[in-house]
Amino acid sequence: MLTHCLGYPRLGPNREYKRTVEGYWQGDLTLEALDTARLDLIRQRIDAQVAAGLDLVTVGDFSWYDPLADWGLSLGYVPARHHDNSLNRDDQLFFMARGVRWDGAAAPALRLRKWFDTNYHYLVPELERGPVRPLDISPLLAELAEARASGRTVKVVIPGPLTFLWLSDAGAGAEPLDHLPVLIERYRQALAELAEAGADWIQLDEPAFALDLPVTWISQAEAVYHGLQRHDVKLMLAVSYGAPTLPLSTLAALPVAALHVDGLADPAAAEVLAERLPPHRALSIGLISGRAVWRGDLNTLTARYATLARRLGDRLLIGTTTSLQHVPWDLASEQALAADVCAKLAFARQKLDELVTLRALLRDAPEGLAAPAGGQTVSPPAETELTRAESRESRIVRQRQALGLPLLPTTTIGSFPQTAELRRARAQWRKGELDEAGYQQVIDRYLQECIRIQEEAGVDVLVHGEPERTDMVEFFAEFIDGMVTTTYGWVQSYGSRCVKPPIIVGDLSRRQPMTVAIFRRAQALTSRPVKGMLTGPVTLLNWSFVRQDIPREAVAYQLARCVREEVADLEAAGARIIQVDEPALREGLPLRQSQHADYLRWATRAFRLATAVAGPDTQIHTHMCYATFGDILDAIVALDADVITLETSRAQGELVRHLARHPYPADIGPGVWDVHSPAVPDTDQLVAFIERLLTVIPAERLWINPDCGLKTRNWEEVVPSLHHMVEAARRVREARSAKAARKADEAVH
Ligand code: GLN
Ligand code: ZN
């Protein structure tokens, strides 16, 4: 029985990856220094696998930005706008990934897209022109050479051809599968070079085989893998991120040395494949999660798989379910975590040890071990807790009266620029160099400034600016029992961007009010309404590592109760508007269509549980960072919020068309200004967009706001932008009342 992982984190123990690559981009590091750092990280990744005692050492998944885009470049695919043969390979990749070249030249970057149902984002390769550079797998060969020096059996991992094609952009109007013949030819060359260079195994990742693939694609699998067959290297086809959707008989018949499936997502598939695989093929089962931070339940796994292990003998491999890139590097770095919490956790390094332990347990397992039965039920919240006291129609009337806002009210999404003073003060406060009172003074100065700027600009509904938060999830996690934050628990989000998700380790409860004091301080500075500002339960869930011993739905309700208590306290403290952000609602959608309805059912319930406690006069806002919400519109309506603000600026036309067909039944604020761009929006353009929105949204329902929080902008951009936004709303309002007056006038005469 052999042990292996599907891939390893790239960041290094202390985000050395980020520091290095950003240093190179800023011109502080030379290309040589970049190469040295690459080699160092690659060696650390190999050493970890060797030290743990894995049978196969896996390499090939390092990249200074994204392995999929890097692989596209290896194959020779480069869009015309980035193509420059005078660039070295790293600079060519960075130009494609970042849209800027070392000399400052710019061209739109490859698009980023979510990697399956994870919080990692990959760059979408563009295949339109076909390969334009010769095959160049030199980075892979360098990794291979390092791994071979360890003396272990070496496995090189690359994206499988069908998944690569599925995730890429084939070009406008092109039929993706038309790229297949050329692509396969490149793959054959690449496999030959890897075999020649001494790879023992090549792992072809085909996570697309866990998606709802069209039959036209499925029917290609056999021909593709026949075309790649080789005798000088073993191919492992790995299906990850869920149970295979490809018929198991098709999978079992593919001519590869080993098939890998996720034994946690679908134990039954592993059983069936063990039966069906021809005798000379091996089965690899993912038994240690590449995505969860929990220790595996090795005893249960042993009980479940002992018989199968005996049956397959040396035809069995055990591995991780996915690459370990989704979990932090090493739990040993976490000095501040409680011992009982640590005892539940395993990060990448620990997971390698678990594989080796599991191998021993499975080898020595006595016959006739019975697997325990699982299954947990959720007790859903009562309908009364989920329902606001009055209907949306009557609430909106009350709220309009209570708030006395003008037509087309203006507001912002929550955060304002984090100033250097604020960052400095926070760092000093964390280190104990600044006491609590001193830190709060800095925050108070910020609140005064932030409120003054909004009042001067004439914004109608104000925010406090979120100076006390660095992150919209971690901030709340620090107030919730059962949720812990780590010191070094970073995982890659995209490129050099990393996130440090909190960990939900037990039952959740709010320790104390989280935002009430800062709300009070901000509201005391102005007579205009200040919004209470919270992160919603679904986003708290989707951006954390979640315990797996109870259903996700149950955890969502526990988080919802924490937020609910905060909503009630904010209301009691005088908040007339409370915004509950759910930017991660949509990204939590399961990969398989068949599971969408169930997710949306409990996700909307969680939001309602969090917010329905508000009285009818209190206005509940929510915010989402996407405009393409057509596919989940019913769920968004079911949230029963009074006002929704959306990101739109990159898909204005699409949203307008959508709203024309499907009117939203409450107030709505499609973002009129793109906060992702440093440009200050032009008042005339804002007016034009607002007029356009008014063709599909009744004026009484339309809010005017930017499309997301402003924390990544600076004040020099934000202040004039606010003035332009308020001015645009005023002009549209005046034009409308002038028009109404003219009409009334005409009617009289
Ligand atoms: N209130 C948050 C902010 O303005 C919302 C962030 C988000 O949508 N991701 O920063
Ligand atoms: Zn947003």
Side-chain angles (χ1 to χ4, degrees):
M1 191 193 315
L2 301 179
T3 48
H4 70 115
C5 67
L6 261 52
Y8 207 70
R10 293 177 273 276
L11 298 181
N14 195 11
R15 279 188 300 165
E16 287 78 2
Y17 179 99
K18 179 186 177 71
R19 242 173 293 130
T20 306
V21 73
E22 289 181 355
Y24 179 73
W25 294 341
Q26 280 150 20
D28 300 338
L29 286 186
T30 61
L31 190 61
E32 260 167 33
L34 188 71
D35 276 340
T36 310
R38 179 201 326 249
L39 205 59
D40 187 45
L41 284 169
I42 286 170
R43 286 196 181 131
Q44 291 193 52
R45 292 152 44 96
I46 293 169
D47 289 348
Q49 299 177 59
V50 170
L54 293 198
D55 301 291
L56 308 186
V57 168
T58 301
V59 290
D61 56 332
F62 190 82
S63 166
W64 278 132
Y65 206 99
D66 167 54
L68 195 82
D70 223 324
W71 178 242
L73 177 56
S74 293
L75 293 173
Y77 294 96
V78 183
R81 65 185 185 280
H82 303 128
H83 194 183
D84 181 348
N85 279 330
S86 71
L87 293 178
N88 67 57
R89 201 198 134 104
D90 291 308
D91 285 341
Q92 180 66 80
L93 177 71
F94 295 147
F95 193 13
M96 294 158 67
R98 308 176 60 226
V100 284
R101 206 166 58 186
W102 61 272
D103 60 359
L110 296 183
R111 273 170 304 131
L112 277 172
R113 206 187 280 149
K114 237 170 97 66
W115 178 253
F116 296 87
D117 56 349
T118 71
N119 290 334
Y120 177 70
H121 302 77
Y122 73 96
L123 289 168
V124 180
E126 295 178 18
L127 312 185
E128 186 158 21
R129 303 195 299 157
V132 292
R133 284 172 54 125
L135 180 81
D136 170 16
I137 61 165
S138 50
L140 232 55
L141 294 174
E143 280 195 63
L144 171 58
E146 281 304 316
R148 272 171 54 94
S150 74
R152 297 289 167 102
T153 306
V154 178
K155 173 165 58 101
V156 178
V157 42
I158 57 176
L162 285 166
T163 297
F164 177 76
L165 194 55
W166 180 257
L167 298 177
S168 295
D169 177 348
E175 167 54 50
L177 288 172
D178 290 347
H179 288 287
L180 206 48
V182 173
L183 185 65
I184 292 304
E185 205 31 58
R186 289 267 154 150
Y187 263 83
R188 289 166 57 90
Q189 279 179 40
L191 297 190
E193 284 187 27
L194 288 170
E196 169 81 7
D200 302 292
W201 286 85
I202 299 172
Q203 171 187 320
L204 291 142
D205 281 334
E206 292 284 16
F209 289 3
L211 301 176
D212 299 311
L213 274 194
V215 279
T216 46
W217 285 69
I218 294 176
S219 62
Q220 298 292 332
E222 210 181 309
V224 164
Y225 278 88
H226 270 104
L228 295 182
Q229 227 175 329
R230 300 192 66 87
H231 299 291
D232 50 0
V233 63
K234 293 179 177 155
L235 301 188
M236 177 188 293
L237 187 158
V239 184
S240 41
Y241 302 99
T245 47
L246 219 61
L248 295 180
S249 51
T250 308
L251 262 187
L254 295 178
V256 288
L259 262 185
H260 173 92
V261 291
D262 181 335
L264 301 180
D266 190 0
E271 302 278 349
V272 172
L273 286 171
E275 292 282 340
R276 297 228 183 128
L277 270 190
H280 51 285
R281 305 236 163 103
L283 180 64
S284 165
I285 312 182
L287 294 179
I288 297 297
S289 172
R291 305 183 49 185
V293 290
W294 312 106
R295 281 198 189 185
D297 182 352
L298 303 189
N299 292 327
T300 302
L301 288 170
T302 305
R304 184 172 294 143
Y305 287 100
T307 312
L308 191 146
R310 204 165 301 112
R311 177 142 43 92
L312 287 172
D314 60 6
R315 290 168 58 216
L316 177 66
L317 295 95
I318 58 171
T320 54
T321 57
T322 64
S323 163
L324 291 166
Q325 73 169 84
H326 307 296
V327 299
W329 187 269
D330 190 352
L331 184 63
S333 309
E334 297 300 329
Q335 302 299 328
L337 280 182
D340 62 324
V341 170
C342 276
K344 296 180 179 174
L345 301 177
F347 291 176
R349 182 62 188 79
Q350 287 67 42
K351 283 168 183 279
L352 301 181
D353 293 336
E354 288 191 308
L355 281 168
V356 174
T357 308
L358 185 59
R359 177 182 58 192
L361 288 172
L362 281 170
R363 267 188 194 151
D364 303 339
E367 281 202 49
L369 265 186
Q376 286 253 8
T377 52
V378 185
S379 44
E383 226 18 73
T384 48
E385 291 183 294
L386 301 177
T387 313
R388 299 280 297 270
E390 291 184 16
S391 73
R392 181 139 50 189
E393 291 67 32
S394 71
R395 284 180 342 236
I396 209 77
V397 174
R398 280 168 167 275
Q399 291 163 13
R400 262 187 211 125
Q401 254 165 20
L403 289 163
L405 295 172
L407 196 68
L408 309 177
T410 52
T411 190
T412 61
I413 306 304
S415 57
F416 270 103
Q418 297 247 337
T419 55
E421 186 197 14
L422 196 57
R423 279 205 211 96
R424 209 167 31 239
R426 179 160 33 235
Q428 288 174 338
W429 170 67
R430 288 244 155 101
K431 278 190 243 153
E433 291 163 14
L434 182 67
D435 64 5
E436 179 67 27
Y439 179 52
Q440 293 305 334
Q441 253 172 26
V442 176
I443 295 216
D444 272 327
R445 269 205 298 280
Y446 184 98
L447 293 178
Q448 280 159 15
E449 185 69 1
C450 179
I451 297 286
R452 183 185 62 78
I453 287 170
Q454 294 173 80
E455 285 194 326
E456 275 179 18
V459 179
D460 301 303
V461 172
L462 311 192
V463 295
H464 76 283
E466 306 181 18
E468 78 287 21
R469 309 177 191 179
T470 46
D471 175 297
M472 63 187 295
V473 175
E474 197 175 50
F475 171 80
F476 289 96
E478 286 172 358
F479 291 93
I480 295 179
D481 277 333
M483 222 167 168
V484 300
T485 56
T486 65
T487 316
Y488 297 101
W490 298 97
V491 294
Q492 191 178 11
S493 171
Y494 65 89
S496 66
R497 293 291 188 96
C498 307
V499 293
K500 192 152 66 66
I503 307 176
I504 296 176
V505 295
D507 286 335
L508 302 171
S509 56
R510 191 186 66 147
R511 204 174 307 126
Q512 68 196 74
M514 308 183 278
T515 62
V516 174
I518 200 151
F519 163 77
R520 280 215 166 97
R521 280 146 73 192
Q523 184 64 84
L525 298 169
T526 177
S527 57
R528 302 191 177 209
V530 173
K531 288 193 267 193
M533 191 58 64
L534 303 173
T535 301
V538 185
T539 297
L540 292 172
L541 183 84
N542 285 339
W543 287 350
S544 298
F545 288 113
V546 182
R547 64 191 283 200
Q548 293 180 318
D549 54 338
I550 64 172
R552 238 176 135 72
E553 175 178 357
V555 182
Y557 297 149
Q558 292 187 2
L559 284 165
R561 292 197 184 280
C562 297
V563 178
R564 182 181 176 94
E565 289 174 16
E566 191 71 12
V567 167
D569 284 349
L570 279 170
E571 185 178 57
R576 287 168 283 167
I577 302 183
I578 300 170
Q579 179 174 313
V580 180
D581 292 325
E582 286 289 19
L585 179 83
R586 186 168 190 271
E587 69 176 52
L589 270 182
L591 291 175
R592 308 286 300 276
Q593 193 79 38
S594 58
Q595 295 162 4
H596 286 191
D598 189 53
Y599 166 76
L600 292 171
R601 173 189 59 75
W602 63 251
T604 49
R605 273 198 189 170
F607 183 90
R608 287 165 58 207
L609 180 58
T611 52
V613 67
D617 293 317
T618 303
Q619 191 164 65
I620 297 291
H621 288 214
T622 188
H623 166 73
M624 295 179 186
C625 298
Y626 33 84
T628 49
F629 63 98
D631 48 348
I632 58 164
L633 181 66
D634 290 344
I636 292 179
V637 172
L639 298 178
D640 198 29
D642 300 303
V643 182
I644 182 170
T645 57
L646 292 172
E647 175 178 323
T648 18
S649 35
R650 297 202 171 174
Q652 291 183 347
E654 198 182 322
L655 183 82
V656 169
R657 277 192 299 280
H658 184 88
L659 287 170
R661 273 177 284 124
H662 310 278
Y664 181 70
D667 284 16
I668 181 166
V672 295
W673 131 40
D674 176 5
V675 307
H676 307 92
S677 152
V680 172
D682 172 77
T683 311
D684 290 336
Q685 276 171 16
L686 289 170
V687 168
F689 184 46
I690 296 170
E691 294 286 8
R692 198 155 157 227
L693 287 172
L694 284 169
T695 63
V696 291
I697 301 170
E700 314 64 61
R701 298 236 129 136
L702 182 62
W703 285 66
I704 308 299
N705 46 263
D707 70 351
C708 198
L710 297 164
K711 72 167 162 242
T712 57
R713 298 268 64 94
N714 58 46
W715 284 110
E716 289 70 42
E717 295 153 353
V718 166
V719 173
S721 300
L722 281 178
H723 281 264
H724 292 186
M725 180 181 82
V726 171
E727 169 65 12
R730 193 187 56 80
R731 276 199 217 157
V732 177
R733 250 178 240 141
E734 280 175 6
R736 287 184 74 87
S737 50
K739 201 163 142 200
R742 266 201 313 279
K743 273 214 177 127
D745 211 35
E746 279 162 20
V748 172
H749 296 291

